[in-house]
Amino acid sequence: MKSNPKRGAAARSGLIVAASLTLLLTACGSGGDNDASGKKGDELVVGSVYEHDGFDPLNPLAASANGERLVPVFDTLLRVDPAGDVAPFLAEAMESTDGRTWTMTLRKDVTFTDDTALDAEAVIFNVERHRAPDSPSSSKSLLDDLVSMEATDAQTVTFELSKANYSFPYLFTASGALGLIGSPKALAADAKAFNQAPVGAGPFEVVEWIPDDHVTMKRNPDYWGDKPSYDTLTFKVLPDPQGRENALRTGQIDLTTSAANYDALEADDALTLHSNGVRGALALLPNASAAPLDDVRVRRAIQLAFDPANTKNAVFGGADLWDGSRGCLPFAEDSDQCSPSKVETDLDEARRLVKEYRADGNAVDLEILTSSTTTSLAEYVAQALSDVGLEPEIRSVGPAEHIPALYGGDYELGLWQMAPFESFYPLGYALFSGEARNIIKHSDKELDAALDESVNAATLAERNAGLQAAQQEIDAEALVTWLSPAPLFVTTRTGVEMSKDYLGGLAFYATDVTVTK
């Protein structure tokens, strides 16, 4: 990935890594007169790719597809800074001396918009909802090692784990759903109503939600932190990429994620394409629990079938946003976690492996699961796999169906945009680990041991070594095919600026965006 001042700051390095689909958004700015489009200058309008399934953090999609709308309402207990370290937010600190007993200290005098306190009991109430026996939460499996929680006092929660986990604080950042804390009073009264009209402690309150059209939020006058300087935040549902681009160019929206026409966007002086967050990747995930992808020969053939030059053209067109190197995907090139891949294109070997597999009497048909937002990329994938002797078919589903199908194992080969995220743990861990969600349905003791080290080891160097070992095992067993960096770049209109804390992708807090129009 190459940097360009017009496209925003250079890619973040260090500990910030990529995996799973975590979308988070809020903003701040200044008021102003009506612009040429008739939209008020004290409003930030965001073009969303698809509708969400509500504001309850318990929803399975809350840690990914819903985050862009949830963070403005709730904030998160902790956040990740540009260096990749856990930083205070609603919680002032989270500390441990042994990795098993963790003490979280909350800010004083933070209240939900129903005037109840965001205190230790509120945190415990919310976490207990995630780990309840009937919970659908995407974070439930990550709490298996949680033995107990205690409100030591009004501002202090003590967590006891069954074993050391030095990555435990990352569970409460925007990398997952556990850091999104709702009012216990409102949740206990009517969780279904809460899903439509949430009560949080974030900088905005929901005032209107018209499904499949828009969500409108107004500024919370009693917000505990730095207040956004504009009054309204609106998310408009615009699933068509060209429709989003047109809305951006005409001023109907101020900010959106772009998935096509990158060269044209770069050439428009009224727009800025932000290439921050080169963490993340466009990936093919094999369901290794059933034929044909339970055979390493087929997985290896897929891994060898893609020429980066062709992929670059299919994903980025003529835009100079990637140099074709797959070496560190899904990590940043200069990341301490990176173990450069030795996988290189070899069409002859891919064809040989497929032919050998077929000669054993096996069928070579497979289904590619894709979101309707990436169908054109799936067509490129299907062509490449056909060229090495496989017989792919595409199943395209709506974005809201795509993630549940992957999480539930209802797929054969999944095309997945692993958006830039703040920390490999918990979302990346859940993709591959047999101890968590294990989306790829593969049993691998070496991989699990490496992932365990990457999460639970006491020192950062040991955790990074675990991630490097995990990458090597993923490559060796062809457990994922990294195609390119994730093509999820935010584009903004002139007058919308991103701060130094912006981590790339759709990961925003109130101070990450400034409106100067």
Side-chain angles (χ1 to χ4, degrees):
M1 179 74 68
K2 296 181 179 180
S3 62
N4 183 318
K6 186 179 187 304
R7 296 196 302 268
R12 305 290 183 188
S13 61
L15 307 180
I16 308 173
V17 295
S20 128
L21 201 56
T22 303
L23 307 178
L24 310 161
L25 181 63
T26 185
C28 68
S30 59
D33 297 329
N34 290 3
D35 62 19
S37 68
K39 182 170 57 58
K40 292 181 179 180
D42 62 357
E43 179 182 22
L44 182 73
V45 183
V46 178
S48 294
V49 177
Y50 46 86
E51 185 55 276
H52 69 159
D53 58 356
F55 290 91
D56 189 340
L58 211 62
N59 291 335
L61 306 188
S64 49
N66 288 6
E68 66 176 52
R69 298 165 176 90
L70 269 64
V71 167
V73 174
F74 298 106
D75 273 346
T76 52
L77 288 169
L78 298 165
R79 65 175 297 179
V80 176
D81 66 19
D85 296 324
V86 175
F89 209 48
L90 285 170
E92 291 183 325
M94 192 165 184
E95 301 170 313
S96 178
T97 58
D98 60 4
R100 293 184 61 175
T101 301
W102 287 92
T103 302
M104 175 185 288
T105 305
L106 301 169
R107 294 184 184 276
K108 295 180 179 179
D109 302 322
V110 176
T111 59
F112 298 105
T113 53
D114 62 2
D115 294 327
T116 59
L118 196 164
D119 56 13
E121 293 291 353
V123 171
I124 291 173
F125 177 90
N126 277 261
V127 175
E128 288 288 9
R129 293 184 75 233
H130 285 278
R131 69 171 187 160
D134 60 348
S135 168
S137 171
S138 60
S139 299
K140 182 177 180 179
S141 61
L142 298 167
L143 295 170
D144 288 346
D145 294 331
L146 179 59
V147 175
S148 67
M149 295 179 286
E150 180 184 358
T152 311
D153 58 44
Q155 264 65 55
T156 308
V157 184
T158 300
F159 299 89
E160 290 287 347
L161 309 180
S162 60
K163 63 180 182 181
N165 177 351
Y166 284 89
S167 296
F168 188 62
Y170 285 95
L171 286 178
F172 302 98
T173 71
S175 288
L178 295 176
L180 301 163
I181 304 300
S183 162
K185 178 182 176 181
L187 283 164
D190 191 338
K192 185 176 181 179
F194 184 99
N195 194 50
Q196 303 293 318
V199 179
F204 290 96
E205 301 177 74
V206 174
V207 296
E208 182 179 61
W209 177 18
I210 306 299
D212 296 314
D213 190 81
H214 71 274
V215 171
T216 299
M217 303 180 185
K218 292 291 186 181
R219 190 172 63 182
N220 174 8
D222 300 317
Y223 179 54
W224 66 273
D226 293 337
K227 294 177 174 58
S229 57
Y230 63 92
D231 293 329
T232 306
L233 174 61
T234 299
F235 297 88
K236 291 188 65 67
V237 180
L238 299 169
D240 177 60
Q242 189 60 54
R244 291 197 306 279
E245 181 180 332
N246 292 342
L248 190 67
R249 290 184 185 279
T250 58
Q252 298 174 60
I253 61 175
D254 303 305
L255 180 155
T256 192
T257 181
S258 303
N261 298 331
Y262 298 110
D263 47 352
L265 293 171
E266 283 189 300
D268 191 327
D269 290 336
L271 305 177
T272 300
L273 182 63
H274 301 271
S275 61
N276 305 45
V278 296
R279 310 166 315 278
L282 187 67
L284 292 172
L285 301 179
N287 185 335
S289 66
L293 295 167
D294 59 346
D295 194 299
V296 69
R297 292 174 294 181
V298 178
R299 300 197 303 269
R300 175 69 66 193
I302 293 171
Q303 192 179 51
L304 300 175
F306 295 92
D307 183 336
N310 294 336
T311 303
K312 178 180 178 180
N313 184 62
V315 177
F316 299 108
D320 189 20
L321 291 168
W322 178 44
D323 63 7
S325 171
R326 294 180 293 182
C328 282
L329 295 175
F331 299 88
E333 288 291 339
D334 52 359
S335 167
D336 292 335
Q337 293 92 347
C338 172
S339 177
S341 171
K342 296 180 174 61
V343 175
E344 295 187 4
T345 307
D346 191 334
L347 299 182
D348 290 338
E349 175 64 6
R351 292 177 182 125
R352 186 194 71 79
L353 289 168
V354 172
K355 184 176 180 180
E356 178 184 296
Y357 178 78
R358 193 168 199 163
D360 289 344
N362 299 308
V364 293
D365 57 301
L366 60 83
E367 181 183 83
I368 302 170
L369 174 70
T370 183
S371 165
S372 57
T373 62
T374 53
T375 301
S376 63
L377 296 178
E379 291 170 352
Y380 162 69
V381 169
Q383 182 60 58
L385 298 186
S386 295
D387 288 346
V388 298
L390 293 168
E391 298 176 1
E393 291 188 1
I394 296 172
R395 184 179 71 158
S396 181
V397 300
E401 302 170 67
H402 186 231
I403 294 172
L406 284 169
Y407 284 7
D410 180 22
Y411 76 101
E412 291 183 358
L413 185 66
L415 180 60
W416 173 270
Q417 294 194 70
M418 305 175 76
F421 58 70
E422 298 179 307
S423 167
F424 181 81
Y425 183 75
L427 294 176
Y429 178 78
L431 285 174
F432 302 111
S433 174
E435 297 182 7
R437 184 178 294 113
N438 190 8
I439 288 177
I440 60 173
K441 311 298 180 190
H442 184 68
S443 178
D444 188 315
K445 291 182 179 179
E446 289 78 9
L447 177 57
D448 279 343
L451 289 171
D452 184 73
E453 183 77 359
S454 73
V455 170
N456 299 325
T459 69
L460 179 60
E462 290 173 313
R463 295 197 294 275
N464 286 343
L467 282 173
Q468 293 166 3
Q471 286 175 278
Q472 293 166 13
E473 185 65 14
I474 288 169
D475 280 347
E477 293 297 316
L479 296 178
V480 64
T481 295
W482 307 114
L483 294 173
S484 76
L488 291 171
F489 302 135
V490 162
T491 305
T492 58
R493 286 183 59 80
T494 298
V496 178
E497 299 177 357
M498 316 304 288
S499 81
K500 63 180 178 59
D501 292 326
Y502 168 57
L503 298 182
L506 290 175
F508 301 86
Y509 285 86
T511 55
D512 286 348
V513 182
T514 300
V515 178
T516 59
K517 61 184 180 181

